[in-house]
Amino acid sequence: MNASSPSFRQLGRSGLQVSPLCFGGNVFGWTVDEATSFALLDAWLDAGFNFIDTADVYSRWVPGHTGGESERILGKWLQRSGRRQQVVLATKVGKDMGDGKVGLRPEYIRAAVEASLQRLQTDYIDLYQSHDDDADVPLADTLGAYADLIAAGKVRAIGASNYGAARFKEALLTSERLGLPRYESLQPLYNLCDRAVFERELAPLCVAQEIGVINFYALAAGFLTGKYRSEADAGKSPRGAKTVSTYLNPRGLGILQALDSVAQQLGAQPGQVALAWQMQRPAITAPIASASTLDQLQQLMAAAQLRLSADDLALLNAASAEPGARD
């Protein structure tokens, strides 16, 4: 790592050491072609970052795609680069892949992990995550399947995404009661615009249980970069219209104003400040953010070097406060 490399953080109690930012791999094979993906991944590791998150279902939502596109690109890069040992590689299982391939049944998990390993061209996954809760399958069955994968050396640690507080707590209790591996990480929606749901119940639980939190939509689908400031900006990206309709309101504009103020003082960009705020939250291990160009990636990585003052944090907390959120 170089002199400005970020300091690593432990992910839960897993022993995995991860960079304070995680690269979101949903863009690989979707908005980023293979060659650009390789360049982005090389630059990410060259700068001292190591954490990469994907899922088997990425990017099935694209017309003509079947899922697995992101994992395949990552697999090709891992083989060509020879840098597998430098990467903490996270992927997920459970979203609908078609043909009945969905959920967290043990037999499906066993088949899905083999498919992911093949696409990723590796013999182990550092962090294997339940992409969604599956209320139709007993938690003990799902966790038992993961225990087998860990014992076989195919998975190092497990995590969960999109779990509510009650079910996540139940999963942790099930692991403790039955002596099964526990979810060491949680991947919730969290950013300056979306605070209350995570902070009200999940954050205290994660802090108390030493769970690593790797939140998605860290930039609110691009809104917190400041590029969507009016209805006219909706056409700036494939997800622009949805982003504008969700976040472009008085509170959202107030958050952007606070970000602009802090960014101006620090000589930074609004999106960098938004990520720095998250990295300084006590419950957060590594926000997940994606980039589709090298310039965007450099902007992301620079956020890990920002340090916000108490006044900066207070301004952002006040602008983003919502009912049920905690500062």
Side-chain angles (χ1 to χ4, degrees):
M1 297 193 299
N2 56 47
S4 59
S5 293
S7 299
F8 285 1
R9 301 171 171 187
Q10 178 156 304
L11 185 70
R13 299 173 186 163
S14 68
L16 297 174
Q17 298 290 320
V18 300
S19 48
L21 268 177
C22 180
F23 196 120
N26 60 319
V27 294
F28 302 139
W30 174 30
T31 56
V32 182
D33 62 21
E34 182 177 295
T36 305
S37 298
F38 286 9
L40 291 169
L41 289 162
D42 282 333
W44 185 247
L45 264 63
D46 288 346
F49 294 80
N50 71 338
F51 201 8
I52 301 166
D53 176 75
T54 187
D56 57 4
V57 76
Y58 298 165
S59 48
R60 188 170 180 257
W61 58 85
V62 178
H65 286 201
T66 59
E69 286 80 14
S70 174
E71 288 186 335
R72 286 190 191 92
I73 285 179
L74 273 164
K76 289 182 181 180
W77 171 74
L78 287 170
Q79 281 299 307
R80 293 188 189 184
S81 69
R83 304 178 80 170
R84 177 66 184 94
Q85 300 301 318
Q86 299 176 42
V87 175
V88 174
L89 182 60
T91 192
K92 311 181 201 73
V93 59
K95 290 281 192 186
D96 191 354
M97 293 284 283
D99 300 322
K101 299 176 181 177
V102 64
L104 299 176
R105 292 172 290 111
E107 60 271 26
Y108 177 58
I109 289 175
R110 286 191 289 269
V113 76
E114 296 300 336
S116 284
L117 288 169
Q118 185 173 18
R119 287 188 292 262
L120 291 165
Q121 299 191 50
T122 183
D123 55 5
Y124 69 99
I125 292 163
D126 295 291
L127 180 67
Y128 200 41
Q129 302 158 95
S130 298
H131 207 155
D132 275 322
D133 185 16
D134 186 345
D136 294 330
V137 179
L139 287 164
D141 291 357
T142 296
L143 294 166
Y146 288 142
D148 292 341
L149 296 181
I150 291 172
K154 295 178 180 181
V155 169
R156 294 180 66 192
I158 57 171
S161 177
N162 300 309
Y163 273 55
R167 281 285 284 181
F168 192 66
K169 184 176 183 179
E170 185 182 352
L172 294 175
L173 290 172
T174 300
S175 296
E176 184 177 9
R177 186 178 74 251
L178 300 178
L180 294 169
R182 72 170 200 158
Y183 288 134
E184 293 293 348
S185 66
L186 178 68
Q187 190 169 144
L189 167 65
Y190 186 62
N191 56 61
L192 276 163
C193 293
D194 301 288
R195 291 183 58 186
V197 173
F198 173 72
E199 292 183 7
R200 187 169 53 243
E201 295 181 337
L202 284 165
L205 175 62
C206 290
V207 170
Q209 295 296 320
E210 299 178 279
I211 301 296
V213 177
I214 52 175
N215 52 298
F216 66 86
Y217 271 19
L219 291 172
F223 179 77
L224 294 173
T225 66
K227 73 176 180 178
Y228 303 107
R229 295 176 183 265
S230 71
E231 297 287 344
D233 293 331
K236 288 186 174 181
S237 78
R239 57 187 181 182
K242 181 180 178 182
T243 303
V244 166
S245 66
T246 302
Y247 298 116
L248 195 63
N249 50 46
R251 177 171 169 268
L253 291 173
I255 291 170
L256 291 184
Q257 186 176 14
L259 287 170
D260 287 340
S261 175
V262 175
Q264 186 173 13
Q265 293 178 43
L266 296 176
Q269 300 297 319
Q272 294 172 323
V273 175
L275 290 173
W277 176 83
Q278 291 168 62
M279 285 184 275
Q280 288 182 232
R281 300 297 284 175
I284 302 299
T285 305
I288 301 171
S290 57
S292 55
T293 67
L294 285 170
D295 181 61
Q296 289 177 2
L297 186 70
Q298 293 295 334
Q299 296 292 326
L300 284 183
M301 296 189 298
Q305 307 299 330
L306 282 184
R307 290 294 175 268
L308 305 184
S309 69
D311 287 344
D312 296 334
L313 294 171
L315 179 65
L316 293 167
N317 288 339
S320 62
E322 57 181 326
R326 302 183 181 190
D327 282 347

